[in-house]
Amino acid sequence: GQQVMQIPQYQHVQEGEDFTTYCNSSTTLSNIQWYKQRPGGHPVFLIQLVKSGEVKKQKRLTFQFGEAKKNSSLHITATQTTDVGTYFCAADSNYQLIWGAGTKLIIKP
Amino acid sequence: EAQVTQNPRYLITVTGKKLTVTCSQNMNHEYMSWYRQDPGLGLRQIYYSMNVEVTDKGDVPEGYKVSRKEKRNFPLILESPSPNQTSLYFCASSPLGGPSNQPQHFGDGTRLSIL
């Protein structure tokens, strides 16, 4: 079945550094969603990308959907402690969401 | 307040003892879903329901049952739990059309430990 590969599994950054997570699929995606899960919490919807080459911004977060609609990325500029958590991508597949394994953002003390 | 409510939040039980995790949403959503979350594996869908009396298997349905007799409720049933079902479980809902073009709203999760 369809799979979505998400890398890296973890990223350790100093506060103020940037963070990026990537999702890749071997098949063309109709759309992709991004969620954030805080430690001990539940996934919370961030954004959905639908169009080829789409770029959306939410304050310090930039989301991109590849031209071929097979990959997507989330970039956070100047991380803050409130950004800590795990970021998931999820791709639509016949009324189901296929989830990436997530990237955990860890702020170094 | 719009929400998805799961109960219990935590449960420790023994192999073979039937259990039910309840899920209720107050947003009049047609689509509901159950996921399990295990370290390094992301979220895997167990079952989903497009509407009342309509349920379908997700990626990991073995050992689980669901029912959708009312729009707001979507219980998850483990008839004979086994230790490999120890996990964190999430219920989610979304409006008509499901997650294809709508965000999913998640409950707070149920942490199950099967001894």
Side-chain angles (χ1 to χ4, degrees):
Chain A
Q2 184 174 21
Q3 286 187 323
V4 175
M5 305 302 295
Q6 186 173 0
I7 57 170
Q9 189 173 1
Y10 302 94
Q11 191 166 4
H12 295 77
V13 299
Q14 298 278 5
E15 189 174 2
E17 291 182 337
D18 293 355
F19 162 88
T20 305
T21 174
Y22 302 90
C23 282
N24 295 288
S25 170
S26 58
T27 59
T28 302
L29 304 172
S30 57
N31 60 64
I32 195 159
Q33 298 180 5
W34 285 91
Y35 290 78
K36 177 184 179 181
Q37 185 177 22
R38 294 181 187 274
H42 59 267
V44 174
F45 175 81
L46 294 176
I47 209 161
Q48 178 171 281
L49 305 174
V50 180
K51 299 177 182 177
S52 168
E54 189 169 17
V55 178
K56 289 188 176 180
K57 292 190 176 184
Q58 291 179 350
K59 298 183 180 178
R60 293 177 295 102
L61 277 62
T62 301
F63 304 84
Q64 295 191 50
F65 202 11
E67 292 290 341
K69 299 182 74 174
K70 289 185 175 181
N71 58 76
S72 182
S73 64
L74 159 59
H75 180 82
I76 303 176
T77 303
T79 55
Q80 300 174 0
T81 55
T82 54
D83 296 326
V84 164
T86 302
Y87 293 84
F88 293 96
C89 61
D92 165 46
S93 176
N94 296 327
Y95 301 108
Q96 296 179 254
L97 280 182
I98 307 301
W99 293 73
T103 297
K104 191 171 186 177
L105 169 57
I106 300 164
I107 303 282
K108 297 177 187 176
Chain B
E1 180 190 352
Q3 60 185 1
V4 179
T5 303
Q6 295 179 228
N7 280 296
R9 293 290 316 279
Y10 305 91
L11 178 63
I12 302 174
T13 187
V14 296
T15 299
K17 186 176 181 182
K18 181 180 178 180
L19 68 91
T20 300
V21 184
T22 63
C23 175
S24 180
Q25 50 92 8
N26 62 0
M27 296 169 279
N28 201 36
H29 285 169
E30 284 77 13
Y31 184 97
M32 296 186 74
S33 179
W34 275 104
Y35 295 92
R36 61 177 288 172
Q37 184 174 28
D38 301 291
L41 295 178
L43 281 81
R44 294 180 292 168
Q45 193 172 46
I46 302 170
Y47 271 94
Y48 65 98
S49 170
M50 296 291 290
N51 215 325
V52 176
E53 300 293 0
V54 179
T55 62
D56 283 291
K57 294 178 181 179
D59 296 319
V60 288
E62 294 78 20
Y64 305 94
K65 288 174 62 177
V66 292
S67 68
R68 189 88 183 277
K69 298 177 182 176
E70 306 164 282
K71 197 172 190 179
R72 62 183 293 126
N73 296 322
F74 190 44
L76 179 69
I77 302 157
L78 285 71
E79 293 271 4
S80 182
S82 62
N84 64 11
Q85 293 177 298
T86 292
S87 188
L88 177 59
Y89 291 85
F90 286 103
C91 179
S93 72
S94 56
L96 184 66
S100 299
N101 53 10
Q102 303 279 359
Q104 294 225 279
H105 301 261
F106 283 81
D108 287 336
T110 296
R111 188 166 290 280
L112 283 184
S113 295
I114 315 295
L115 305 178

